[in-house]
Structures are given as structure tokens and as C-alpha cells.
């Protein structure tokens, strides 16, 4: 989580701390009353700070949340590689990720047990004045979000660092608020990638001193076994499989060329196969057919979410820079005259001759996350024809910098909206302009 180390962040954290600095020694003099006063003061909301500082804090908090998704994804990739290839090195690397989190979980569980034991004894819980303490924060976190969420987040180094390194409670409060907004999203993200959050907690299952822990360990519906992009978060905070005309939509990584779809044409070769006329490879610059392949890791850091006006859409879970290639638009390849998909399909051409169509890419059944990108008349991404390795491909690229948690959008072109109503809400919206004419 490099963001926490940046100079501007340090200045920001110091600035906030400076205003309300108070030492642990001072505060511990008069115990609980002081503790309450201190916390009240600390809980001043972010709204009390200058606008510029508020913006910096929200950016920092977004970056922290994004780092949690990134780390969870990383741990899940590691887990898959351990399952597929359990070498000593892979196993050691995977275990390393859980060393610190296991230790912290032990301590938080210990805190809850001590708390309960002291209640059973009839004595007051031991006072622990340590507002900035990591364990204290984790304890608060469990109280708000529960053990499952703690176990999920604890797998992320970004979360552990935030607990340890954030110095001001206003920032920590903002992190908790952002967590609250994204709680279901984080859970779906972790569960659909098979994060072993239960395994981390199972060793405490026999401790019936913490009843909430037992109830959270009850088996939950499996979200794993399929591709993470077979999971859409619904408006009522559930999940569903994306469907088209009553059939489940299937994730694929590569376009599908089936000669049976080209019988009239008699074509037996994939029309997207690269020929010398398609120009140099956009990755290595070579004019010869090369073995380059696009890196699609960006697609691991997006999620599918239902939106009230526009149906299933795509939300970024990380930041993207202008020009980043986020993914490849894939689907079944059909003859350019194909008329069977008016919802998702796009014409494909070579970058050297964009007027000559090679195929229609139709992802209504087989496709990837890019088929769900909503239209906006002020879009954040664009489609591009590219030549990469052995293929001509259609990519989705960032038109500008994109912040974490923004919905990705692309411009479908004004023809698409000739007989449909665009709901993007932008001031330059094609349908809005039509209505006002
Ligand atoms: C390529 S699909 C995108 C995925 C689709 N939302 C879904 O649920 O499968 C295009 C369809 O999404 C919806 N959509 C996307 N952007 C929209 C917008 N700006 N206004 C209205 N509807 C939109 C429309 O129903 C459109 O026909």
C-alpha cells in the first residue's frame, strides 16, 4: 500500500494530528473520564477541516480501500497457485501472508475472551486506554462489521497497515465509513475469489465464549467455483448470475471462432488472425507475427453491479491511468452481416483499415466483463482496434485517469440511442439534447 508512505500523506496525517495532539501519558492520568473527553474531541468529523484537506483524506481513504481489494486478489491468486502447484516456495509465500494476520486475530480474540471473562466474574472490564492501538481498532472493527469481515480484511496487508499507521481518528473514522459503504462488495469480492476467511477463524470455533463468532462460522452459500464475473451484486445486496434471454452468460478469455457460424461464407480461419497488412504489434512494435499477449490483470480489479437505471454495470476497484488497456472486448465471432445481437455486439476491424469489417463480436452468451460497461455521453473509456501478437483485437482503454470506485463507461455511439433513451444524465447527453429539440 504505497499511498500511506507518500510525502503528501505524511504531511496530511501530521497536520491533522498536530491540531489535536495528546499524549498517551497525559490521557492515562485520570482514566475513563479523560478517555471519554479525549475520544469526543477526536471524533470531530472531517467536515470541520478545510476543503482541500477533506479531499486529500477522501483520496487517501479510497486508496486504502483499493489496496484492500488489491491485496485480497493477490492472496487469492497465491492460494490458487498453491492449489495447482504446491511447491515449498509457493506454500511458504502463502503462509507468510497470514503470519501477521494470524497473530493479530489471536490477540483480538483474546481481548474478547478477557472481556467476557471479566463480566462473568462480576468485575469491570480492564481499562485499556490506547486510542491509537491496532488491537483496539480491530476490536472496534469486529463490533461494527463482525468476525467474517475482520478475517477477510485481515488477509490484506493494506488493511493491517491502515490499522497500524493511521495516526488520526478522523481518518480512521472515514476508513470505517468507506468500509460500511463497501462491506458487501468486499465480502463478494473475497468469497467469489475463494479467500479462505473461514479457515482463519476455525481454530477459535470451540471458544463458545464468543457466541457471535460461532454464528458467523456457519457455512454460507458457495460463491466460488465459477469465474468472479459470473457474480453480479444486486440492488438489494444479494448476488445473482448474469443472464441473457433466460440463459446464464458465460465468461471467456478469448474470442470464439466457430466455423459453423461462417458456413455461408465458407470461412474456416479465424478472421481476427493477424496478417502483415494489420501493422506492427502494439506491444513490441514488431512488424513480424510475434507471441505478445495482452495483460488483463485490470479485469481482476473490477466488479459487476446492478444499477437502477442502466442494468448491470462495471465498477472500478482500483485507479487507472489515462491510456491503460483495461481489457479486451471478446465474444463469439460472426460474419459482419450477422443480425442476432443488437444489445451487446460490436463491429471488429483492423487498426489499419477501420472501414473494412472483419467480424461482429457478439458477447450476448460468451464474453467477459467488458460487455457490461454502461454508456455515457462523457465516457471514461473507449474501444480501440489493436494489433497484438497473433491477433487483431478490440481493447477497452482509459480515456482519462479513473478513480477507484467509479463506474466505468464507454460511448456506444449516437446510432445506438436513435431509438433508445440514454439515462447517463450528462449535460451533453444525446437523448437530453433530442428531448429539448
Ligand atoms: C451493452 S449492454 C450493457 C450491459 C447491460 N446493462 C446489462 O444489464 O446486461 C447495453 C444495455 O445496457 C443499458 N444501458 C447501458 N448504458 C445505458 C445508459 N446510459 N442509459 C440507458 N441504458 C443504458 C441499456 O439497456 C443498453 O441496451
Amino acid at each position: 500500500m504505497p499511498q500511506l508512505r507518500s510525502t503528501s500523506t505524511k504531511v496530511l496525517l501530521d497536520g491533522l494530528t498536530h491540531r489535536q495532539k495528546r499524549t498517551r501519558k497525559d490521557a492515562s492520568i485520570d482514566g475513563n473520564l479523560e478517555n471519554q473527553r479525549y475520544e469526543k474531541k477526536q471524533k470531530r468529523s472531517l467536515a470541520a477541516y478545510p476543503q482541500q484537506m477533506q479531499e486529500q483524506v477522501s483520496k487517501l481513504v479510497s486508496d486504502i480501500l483499493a489496496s484492500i481489494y488489491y491485496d485480497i486478489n493477490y492472496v487469492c491468486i497465491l492460494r490458487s497457485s498453491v492449489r495447482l502447484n504446491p511447491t515449498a516456495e509457493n506454500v511458504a509465500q502463502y503462509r507468510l501472508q497470514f503470519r501477521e494476520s494470524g497473530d493479530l486475530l489471536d490477540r483480538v480474540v483474546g481481548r474478547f475472551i478477557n472481556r467476557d471473562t471479566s463480566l462473568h466474574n462480576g468485575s469491570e472490564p480492564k481499562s485499556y486506554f490506547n486510542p491509537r492501538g491496532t488491537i483496539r481498532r480491530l476490536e472496534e472493527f469486529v463490533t461494527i462489521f463482525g468476525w467474517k469481515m475482520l478475517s477477510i480484511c485481515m488477509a490484506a496487508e493494506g488493511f493491517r497497515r491502515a490499522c497500524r499507521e493511521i495516526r488520526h481518528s478522523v481518518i480512521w473514522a472515514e476508513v470505517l465509513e468507506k468500509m460500511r459503504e463497501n462491506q458487501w462488495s468486499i465480502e463478494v469480492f473475497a468469497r467469489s475469489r475463494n479467500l479462505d476467511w473461514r479457515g482463519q477463524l476455525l481454530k477459535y470455533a470451540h471458544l463458545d465464549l464468543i457466541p457471535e463468532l460461532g454464528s458467523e462460522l456457519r457455512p454460507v452459500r458457495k460463491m466460488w467455483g465459477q469465474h468472479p464475473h459470473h457474480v453480479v451484486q444486486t440492488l438489494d445486496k444479494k448476488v445473482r448470475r448474469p443472464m441473457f434471454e433466460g440463459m446464464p452468460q458465460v465468461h471467456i478469455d478469448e474470442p470464439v471462432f466457430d466455423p459453423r457460424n461462417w458456413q455461408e461464407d465458407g470461412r474456416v480461419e479465424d478472421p481476427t488472425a493477424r496478417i502483415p497488412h494489420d501493422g506492427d504489434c502494439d506491444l513490441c512494435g514488431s512488424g513480424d507475427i510475434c507471441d505478445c499477449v495482452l495483460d488483463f490483470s485490470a479485469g481482476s480489479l473490477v466488479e459487476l453491479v446492478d444499477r437502477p437505471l442502466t442494468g448491470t454495470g462495471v465498477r472500478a476497484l482500483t485507479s487507472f491511468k489515462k491510456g491503460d488497456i483495461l481489457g479486451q472486448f471478446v465474444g463469439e465471432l460472426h460474419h459482419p452481416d450477422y443480425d442476432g445481437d443488437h444489445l451487446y455486439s460490436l463491429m471488429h476491424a483492423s487498426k489499419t483499415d477501420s472501414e473494412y469489417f472483419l467480424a461482429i463480436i457478439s458477447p450476448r452468451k460468451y464474453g467477459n466483463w467488458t460487455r457490461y460497461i454502461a454508456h455515457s455521453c462523457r465516457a471514461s473509456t473507449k474501444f480501440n482496434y489493436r494489433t497484438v501478437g497473433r491477433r487483431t483485437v478490440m481493447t477497452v482503454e482509459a480515456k482519462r485517469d479513473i478513480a477507484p470506485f467509479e463506474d466505468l463507461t464507454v460511448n456506444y455511439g449516437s446510432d445506438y440511442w436513435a431509438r433508445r433513451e440514454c439515462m447517463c444524465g450528462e449535460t451533453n447527453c444525446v437523448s437530453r439534447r433530442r428531448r429539448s429539440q
Side-chain angles (χ1 to χ4, degrees):
M1 196 180 63
Q3 297 88 340
L4 278 178
R5 287 221 169 109
S6 71
T7 325
S8 61
T9 303
K10 253 181 134 334
V11 170
L12 169 70
L13 296 179
D14 287 345
L16 279 169
T17 315
H18 177 70
R19 284 162 154 260
Q20 300 179 345
K21 206 158 189 159
R22 182 81 199 262
T23 63
R24 184 180 166 151
K25 193 164 155 248
D26 293 342
S28 61
I29 299 166
D30 37 12
N32 276 344
L33 187 63
E34 267 305 295
N35 189 349
Q36 281 164 17
R37 274 198 212 129
Y38 179 86
E39 291 209 331
K40 202 168 154 200
K41 219 171 154 196
Q42 286 272 300
K43 274 184 187 139
R44 256 176 77 158
S45 88
L46 185 62
Y49 290 91
Q51 179 71 23
Q52 197 195 1
M53 207 170 255
Q54 289 182 34
E55 283 164 14
Q56 283 176 300
V57 170
S58 8
K59 181 168 181 321
L60 171 70
V61 169
S62 272
D63 287 346
I64 290 171
L65 263 276
S67 75
I68 292 174
Y69 286 92
Y70 182 91
D71 292 345
I72 291 176
N73 189 49
Y74 173 69
V75 169
C76 293
I77 292 171
L78 261 185
R79 185 168 192 220
S80 300
S81 53
V82 168
R83 283 156 68 109
L84 292 172
N85 187 17
T87 59
E89 195 187 334
N90 277 349
V91 173
Q93 182 90 18
Y94 182 62
R95 287 224 176 105
L96 190 67
Q97 297 302 314
F98 289 102
R99 193 186 288 161
E100 189 190 12
S101 65
D103 177 49
L104 286 172
L105 270 175
D106 276 350
R107 290 169 63 193
V108 182
V109 168
R111 186 81 115 197
F112 271 79
I113 293 169
N114 287 337
R115 225 194 211 185
D116 270 40
T117 320
S118 55
L119 288 177
H120 288 305
N121 295 341
S123 59
E124 282 294 306
K126 213 169 134 212
S127 167
Y128 44 83
F129 183 69
N130 181 13
R132 287 194 222 131
T134 306
I135 302 301
R136 169 81 191 270
R137 280 189 174 151
L138 294 175
E139 206 179 343
E140 181 191 15
F141 189 90
V142 175
T143 315
I144 301 172
F145 298 105
W147 290 96
K148 184 201 301 174
M149 190 67 177
L150 179 71
S151 180
I152 289 173
C153 292
M154 202 72 105
E157 198 205 340
F159 175 74
R160 301 195 299 268
R161 283 190 59 192
C163 291
R164 274 197 319 261
E165 294 181 22
I166 291 175
R167 281 194 262 151
H168 201 282
S169 65
V170 168
I171 298 178
W172 179 245
E174 290 299 309
V175 170
L176 294 183
E177 191 48 43
K178 192 92 181 164
M179 280 275 176
R180 215 188 295 269
E181 284 167 25
N182 289 285
Q183 183 173 358
W184 180 233
S185 157
I186 294 173
E187 182 176 336
V188 171
F189 187 84
R191 283 174 56 194
S192 61
R193 283 161 179 76
N194 199 21
L195 181 82
D196 185 23
W197 64 270
R198 289 185 89 243
Q200 287 242 88
L201 292 177
L202 275 175
K203 65 175 172 176
Y204 312 110
H206 63 287
L207 301 171
D208 47 8
L209 282 168
I210 313 175
E212 303 80 21
L213 182 56
S215 62
E216 290 207 39
L217 278 173
R218 264 189 235 119
V220 285
R221 194 180 134 201
K222 199 173 170 190
M223 243 186 239
W224 167 252
Q226 308 210 28
H227 194 272
H229 295 155
H230 286 172
V231 178
V232 181
Q233 291 165 56
T234 60
L235 295 173
D236 58 350
K237 297 227 181 305
K238 295 199 169 96
V239 285
R240 67 171 181 84
R241 177 78 192 255
M243 309 286 281
F244 182 72
E245 293 179 345
M247 298 289 286
Q249 292 180 309
V250 179
H251 172 90
I252 50 167
D253 289 318
E254 299 277 336
V256 178
F257 170 69
D258 182 346
R260 283 171 301 181
N261 293 333
W262 296 75
Q263 265 166 2
E264 279 176 32
D265 205 44
R267 178 177 268 282
V268 288
E269 270 176 26
D270 183 340
T272 66
R274 178 177 169 192
I275 55 172
H277 176 74
D278 293 325
D280 297 344
C281 170
D282 283 310
L283 297 187
C284 70
S286 168
D288 297 329
I289 309 283
C290 55
D291 286 325
C292 289
V293 279
L294 282 167
D295 169 14
F296 294 124
S297 49
S300 313
L301 293 167
V302 299
E303 64 179 1
L304 306 184
V305 273
D306 276 341
R307 295 295 182 217
L309 299 178
T310 54
T312 305
V314 181
R315 192 170 81 128
L317 299 173
T318 186
S319 55
F320 295 113
K321 282 267 160 234
K322 182 177 174 179
D324 280 353
I325 299 181
L326 311 185
Q328 182 183 347
F329 187 83
V330 297
E332 287 179 287
L333 299 174
H334 286 275
H335 187 273
D337 293 339
Y338 175 69
D339 200 27
D341 178 2
H342 293 263
L343 192 70
Y344 296 99
S345 64
L346 286 178
M347 282 291 190
H348 181 53
S350 163
K351 67 175 178 183
T352 53
D353 190 353
S354 58
E355 300 296 309
Y356 177 72
F357 296 120
L358 299 168
I360 280 188
I361 306 176
S362 167
R364 57 187 197 131
K365 179 153 192 212
Y366 300 100
N368 64 8
W369 62 273
T370 59
R371 66 183 139 178
Y372 304 109
I373 302 177
H375 162 94
S376 168
C377 295
R378 214 180 291 281
S380 58
T381 71
K382 63 177 180 194
F383 294 117
N384 226 350
Y385 300 134
R386 294 254 183 210
T387 300
V388 176
R390 299 176 174 274
R391 294 260 169 276
T392 62
V393 294
M394 185 173 322
T395 52
V396 177
E397 304 183 11
K399 270 177 81 177
R400 55 167 171 80
D401 290 355
I402 298 171
F405 311 113
E406 261 190 61
D407 273 13
L408 298 182
T409 54
V410 71
N411 195 321
Y412 296 174
S414 50
D415 287 355
Y416 191 90
W417 302 104
R419 265 171 277 142
R420 294 176 170 104
E421 190 71 7
C422 174
M423 314 283 265
C424 77
E426 292 293 344
T427 44
N428 65 335
C429 172
V430 59
S431 299
R432 182 187 282 220
R433 276 187 281 138
R434 200 170 47 222
R435 277 194 303 272
S436 65
Q437 271 165 13

